[in-house]
Amino acid sequence: MLDVRNHRDGFVVYDLVSDEPVMRFDTLRDADAFVAEAVIADLHAQLQRWSLDHVPATW
């Protein structure tokens, strides 16, 4: 999970799972855009791995 935090010279995207900073940005808008792109890419990868074979027949 990613979090955007204030930093002395901008904003930092912080990885809460690994407990470390990921990247620094000058604006909150850029940091939020980075997080949004990362979430979309992760969901896209999950959808590519999804298969109808794993859906129960009663669904």
Side-chain angles (χ1 to χ4, degrees):
M1 176 178 240
L2 299 174
D3 185 33
V4 177
R5 298 182 179 180
N6 287 329
H7 195 262
R8 56 179 145 54
D9 57 346
F11 298 89
V12 172
V13 173
Y14 197 82
D15 185 341
L16 299 174
V17 175
S18 64
D19 197 31
E20 64 183 10
V22 176
M23 191 177 292
R24 189 191 69 77
F25 294 90
D26 292 329
T27 67
L28 178 59
R29 183 181 188 140
D30 290 343
D32 284 343
F34 174 81
V35 171
E37 289 176 18
V39 169
I40 290 169
D42 182 52
L43 291 173
H44 186 342
Q46 289 178 31
L47 284 172
Q48 285 183 323
R49 290 190 301 268
W50 185 73
S51 170
L52 284 175
D53 297 334
H54 295 103
V55 177
T58 57
W59 187 75

